[in-house]
Amino acid sequence: MKTSLRFLSVIFLALALAAGLVAAEQLYTCGMHPQIIKKEPGNCPICGMKLTPIRANTAKASGSTAGGERKVKYYKSTMIPGEVKTAPGKDSMGMDMVPVYEGEDTSAENNIQIDAATTQRMNLKTALVEQGPVRREFRTVGLVAYNEEGLRDITTKYEGWIEKLMVNTTWTLVKAGDPLFEIYSPDVYNAQLNYVLALRAEKEQAGPLTRAALARLQLFDVSPEFIAELKRSGEPSRRMVFHAPTDGWVIEKMAVVGQMMKPGERIYRLADLSSVWVEAQIYEKDLPYLSSGQDATVRSSYGPQRTFEGTVQLLLPQVEAQTRTATARIVLPNPEGFLRPGMFVDVNFSAQLAANAVLVPDIAVLRSGERNTVFIALDGGFFEAREIKLGARSSGNFYEVLSGLRVGDRVVTSGQFMLDSESQLREAIQKMLKSAEGVPTANAQATPSAPAAHEHAAPAATPREEGALAPAAHESESAVAMLRPLAFGLADAAAALAIDDLAGYQKQLPVIRAALTNYFKADAHAAHGPLGKFKDGLSVSTDLAAARTEFEPLSTAVADLAREHHLHHTEGLHVFECTMAPVTGTARWLQRKAGTQNPFFGTKMSGCGDEITGTEATGGTSGGMAMALPPGHPPIDQVSVAAYLRSQTTGAAVAATSGDGKCGSCGMSQAEMAAGLCEHDKK
């Protein structure tokens, strides 16, 4: 009884091991060509590199807790990897999201497992997802300008002639009450006479005449000191001194000695620099984070750095068309005159956009177009790629996370590019393995009896390279059938362009358009392939240059499809390639006949390009060498190279042989001629 139990135990153990080996079948792939997958180690048939093993993940889902109840960890999308939410709902494609329970790892097949030693060699570093405020800080350049409230023009309210200038240069600092110039004005002189005569007539009574004359002098802005001196002396003065009404720097001087000044004409312009404006240039992308009354920090850009604190007085409601910036005006006190108009300064702004948000380090995010991906470090050396949605950028090199991460998740911040490469390789392999399920490979479809080494196999039955996957199942026979008229239409259009026949090319456009329509109807997936952007066909170009520019990418795409489906063998088409194409650099086209006729250059360079003969072998052990041999030549493994070269005698030598095979000149036998002893066939 014990012997039977032991025997059954051995059988069950063997079955378990066998099942484990089957479940963990080792596959091998090429790092440069992930479409190559083999069950045994070896070399890549394309580039010759050594195949590397595909590591299978060992993560298992625990499924439930000790009490039997499962707690939902989050909800994930079944259509978009990495899209997760904390509450049930629909994903961005409108599909219901499924729950992921604690302890489960439903994405284990796409996760990456790395041992501790490799992690250290890869210098993988991680950081925790934090929670905190979102602060937007940005720096811009500012220009110091005059405070317009401190500008003052010096003018007169009467006509006169300047006879002397006390301030005769610009950038002179003047104080209130300093003399600026002496002026002679007939109007002021007459007003002085009237005032003196009124005083003499009315004496100290200050009657109406005196008051009227005094008011006229005051309307001319004559200083009280000048009027008091006039009253005391009783004699009018021919010249009057004009004094500065306020402090400031003379930034403009318009008058010279002897110049006649009219009422209101500017003589000087004074600027008070005790207060200045800083005009900061704000880019459009930063405008939402700025408003009037917001604090700003201004730093000098020369000498010992000095800091000034101010507020935004006004955000101008205009964007400059040339610089695409708006102006924020900041008023700063400048008692020491350190800030000078025209000076550049650095301006820093800070705004809090959110009080509490999920924050991820900037260096942890991998950006690819519109997608943002991070790698989550899991237990057991596993790493999960997850797509996230980002919000505003925060200070400290953080980004706000709108969805995809939670506080406490550990993300990879260094070495994630190597993880991304491994993840994309694994995803591509999984997709190819799934697409190949149920589709027999070309090797399995090949007949067991291979043709003899000296017989040429039919081109249509040429198998793919060992290890390559079969074509996708959606490439139906009807799609291949619809590809034929499209290929022939492109070949006829190429022939017209090769001889610079624009009218002939335009005649083929309706044919190409109809063939494209039929091809898209036969293959629904073609709209997502290289032909997707040619749904409406080619436009009618009015010149050859435009026609060739539009024709080149479509010709290349159709030529590649024709090669993939072997139309250059079954339909007698010829595929040519030009490595100097004007648009894409390397382009291909189809021809009905042999001989290079380049449609991309026309008659100027019609011979530019080479024919692509294909990659299939004629059989035997000679492999790829046999396809390059002259027509009718037996495989290299059946005849030596020396024997073949000796057999290629010139036409003269063949004509000189006699009827029995001997040389007609010297009589040597055919064997001696083949051995190279006869000199007549060398002439």
Side-chain angles (χ1 to χ4, degrees), residues 279-295:
E279 297 179 338
Q281 305 301 312
I282 311 300
Y283 289 101
E284 290 179 282
K285 63 181 180 66
D286 296 325
L287 287 177
Y289 314 119
L290 195 63
S291 60
S292 298
Q294 187 169 327
D295 294 336

Side-chain angles (χ1 to χ4, degrees), residues 410-576:
R410 185 169 292 276
V411 295
V412 179
T413 59
S414 175
Q416 62 268 46
F417 289 99
M418 288 180 282
L419 294 177
D420 184 49
S421 301
E422 177 69 17
S423 176
Q424 293 183 12
L425 175 62
R426 187 169 303 229
E427 182 180 358
I429 292 171
Q430 293 293 337
K431 288 181 178 180
M432 287 186 284
L433 288 176
K434 291 179 181 179
S435 65
E437 290 179 358
V439 182
T441 61
N443 288 334
Q445 294 176 352
T447 56
S449 56
H454 64 279
E455 296 176 356
H456 294 273
T462 300
R464 292 174 178 259
E465 293 182 352
E466 181 183 0
L469 296 177
H474 67 264
E475 295 177 346
S476 59
E477 294 183 0
S478 59
V480 178
M482 292 298 102
L483 180 62
R484 295 189 183 97
L486 178 60
F488 282 108
L490 267 294
D492 294 337
L497 291 178
I499 59 175
D500 300 338
D501 183 7
L502 182 60
Y505 167 77
Q506 294 175 345
K507 290 181 180 179
Q508 296 299 323
L509 296 182
V511 178
I512 296 174
R513 190 177 297 110
L516 281 170
T517 302
N518 295 332
Y519 182 74
F520 286 129
K521 290 180 180 179
D523 186 359
H525 297 271
H528 307 290
L531 298 181
K533 57 183 178 181
F534 301 104
K535 289 183 178 180
D536 300 327
L538 299 174
S539 60
V540 180
S541 303
T542 57
D543 59 274
L544 285 171
R548 289 179 172 127
T549 300
E550 189 176 13
F551 173 77
E552 184 176 319
L554 177 58
S555 173
T556 302
V558 175
D560 292 342
L561 287 175
R563 289 184 63 203
E564 180 179 352
H565 296 286
H566 304 286
L567 296 188
H568 58 312
H569 295 147
T570 59
E571 303 297 332
L573 289 171
H574 299 265
V575 184
F576 290 82

